[in-house]
Structures are given as C-alpha cells and as structure tokens.
Amino acid sequence: EPGPTPEAVDAYLADTLVGEDQALREGKRAAAAAGLPAIEVSPGQGKLLMMLARLAGARRILEIGTLGGYSTTWLAQALPPDGELVTCEFEPRHARVARANLDAAGVGGLVTIRPGAALETLARLRAEGAAPFDLAFIDADKENSANYVSAALELVRPGGLIVLDNVVRRGTVLRPGDPDTVEGRDVNGTRAALELLGSDPRVDATAVQTTGAKGWDGFALAVVRG
Ligand code: SAM
C-alpha cells in the first residue's frame, strides 16, 4: 500500500469533516462537462471560506473570479436571506455555467454575477457608491492581485476580511518572476499584493501555507482595521 500523501489526507479530512453537498459536487461535474478548468478551491477551503464569512457576520460578500461558482456557492451559504454576494467574472461561458450552478444549488437569488474585467467592475462599484462589503475573496488573474487588494481596501468595511488565494504557488512566490511569462507575471502580482498587505496601515495581515488536493499553496488573510 502506498504511504500517506497530502492529497490522501485532504480526501480523508474532506470525507470526515467537510460534508460537501450534492449541489456542490454536481456543480463541479457540470463545470467539467462544459470544459471549465478544475481550478476551484478544495472542499476544505470552500468550507473555510463559508465559516470565515459566518464569523464575519457577512451580509455582503465580494468575490473576484467566479469560474463555475464553486467557491461562490460555499460563500453564499453563509449569507442571511437578505444578503448579497457580488462576483466578478471575465469569461461569459464561466458566468453562464456559474449562474446555472448557483440556481441549482438554491443560492442563485443571493448572487449577482458582474460580467467583464474585474478591475472595471470594481471601479464601477466604487463609482456607484456600493454599500460596504463584509468579506472579499480574491481569486482571479493573479497578475492583477495587488490592484484587486487596493480596490478591496476601499470596498470592505472596517473589521471586514480580505482573503487572497494562491499566494505560495509551490514556493515560486519566493523570488520575482520572469515578466515575459504568465506564471512570472502571476508571481509578481502575488508578491505585489502581499507587499501591499504587509505594509498598508489599513490592515492586519497574515498568510497560511497549505498542501493537499491543490498542491503546495496558501491563503493570505487580512482584516481591515477599525
Ligand atoms: N473562485 C473560483 C472557485 O474557487 O470556485 C475559482 C476562480 S478561477 C481560479 C479564476 C477565474 O477568474 C476564472 O474563471 C477566470 O475566467 C476569471 N478571471 C480571469 N481574469 C479575470 C478578470 N480580469 N476579471 C474577472 N475575472 C477574471
């Protein structure tokens, strides 16, 4: 029998603790059938997001990067019936799959999908005077992560939480990336976002390295100061 691996332990923990429901599993199947990449958060991470949203007493959640709506569904499950989750997605096909998945999971009425480039959507939300968000989950094109963190700092209320995904990137975050490659630009965007979170007086920030179904990676967490 092969020895334990982080992936096997993740599966054990997910089976034992997480209770990923039928709708979430169906949503992933539908996303795969539609040809979307399987780059959503793991079940354990999705549940962590839901629990953080609940702890934050979230009534308004901002998500950047919807894909097929997997993390969106977890987060929306933390909302009260009059809550709202605004999620930004660039790819119309992803947004269509997400809409169907969110409706099938019974949380569609809580979620507004804002199509288009997130930077433009975030500028529009600010211009519209959107009510403050209690939690922002940033998980889109990593090249722009620092810009998304900047926007989130304006849009999230004091005491609210900003979560930034994929901050370790199998350790590649340790050194500046090659700006001529996508991964290099993603590393540089991630480093800029971490440096902003580490130096901006408006937040207290930390990061947690993770391993498991998604390989060696991590989340940064930042609470906006009151
Ligand atoms: N949060 C999702 C989950 O865990 O289920 C996964 C999101 S996936 C890692 C990143 C998503 O961001 C993709 O669907 C991609 O199309 C979207 N995206 C990439 N660039 C974007 C942009 N400039 N504006 C909005 N969305 C973008």
Side-chain angles (χ1 to χ4, degrees):
E1 193 184 313
T5 61
E7 292 76 11
V9 172
D10 222 16
Y12 162 74
L13 294 174
D15 284 349
T16 311
L17 291 174
V18 174
E20 184 189 48
D21 67 19
Q22 182 70 14
L24 284 160
R25 279 198 294 271
E26 273 304 321
K28 281 195 285 197
R29 260 197 292 279
L36 270 54
I39 52 174
E40 72 285 338
V41 295
S42 71
Q45 292 167 339
K47 187 159 180 187
L48 175 65
L49 289 169
M50 184 197 76
M51 291 163 58
L52 290 171
R54 227 190 255 160
L55 283 167
R59 310 182 71 82
R60 289 180 51 77
I61 297 174
L62 174 65
E63 180 180 63
I64 305 170
T66 318
L67 192 65
Y70 183 77
S71 54
T72 322
T73 302
W74 274 112
L75 284 164
Q77 286 177 0
L79 287 172
D82 61 343
E84 187 186 18
L85 189 158
V86 176
T87 183
C88 309
E89 177 53 55
F90 182 72
E91 293 286 344
R93 196 163 53 98
H94 297 185
R96 278 196 299 276
V97 171
R99 173 46 62 201
N101 282 341
L102 292 160
D103 290 345
V107 294
L110 296 168
V111 179
T112 307
I113 302 179
R114 301 276 299 229
L119 276 181
E120 286 169 29
T121 304
L122 294 167
R124 219 168 296 131
L125 283 169
R126 288 182 62 189
E128 289 165 7
F133 291 92
D134 304 295
L135 184 151
F137 176 48
I138 302 173
D139 186 23
D141 50 326
K142 312 303 168 185
E143 189 175 355
N144 272 314
S145 285
N147 296 323
Y148 297 147
V149 167
S150 274
L153 285 168
E154 301 293 333
L155 288 162
V156 173
R157 68 163 165 87
L161 179 68
I162 299 170
V163 182
L164 176 66
D165 198 11
N166 306 120
V167 301
V168 173
R169 319 190 66 78
R170 298 177 315 282
T172 59
V173 72
L174 213 47
R175 300 194 200 299
D178 175 354
D180 293 334
T181 67
V182 174
E183 174 58 20
R185 289 194 293 276
D186 287 352
V187 164
N188 292 340
T190 301
R191 287 170 59 88
L194 291 174
E195 284 156 27
L196 175 57
L197 287 173
S199 61
D200 195 299
R202 289 173 292 178
V203 282
D204 290 309
T206 188
V208 181
Q209 294 196 65
T210 55
T211 184
K214 297 285 151 180
W216 180 21
D217 215 329
F219 279 123
L221 301 150
V223 173
V224 180
R225 289 194 175 148

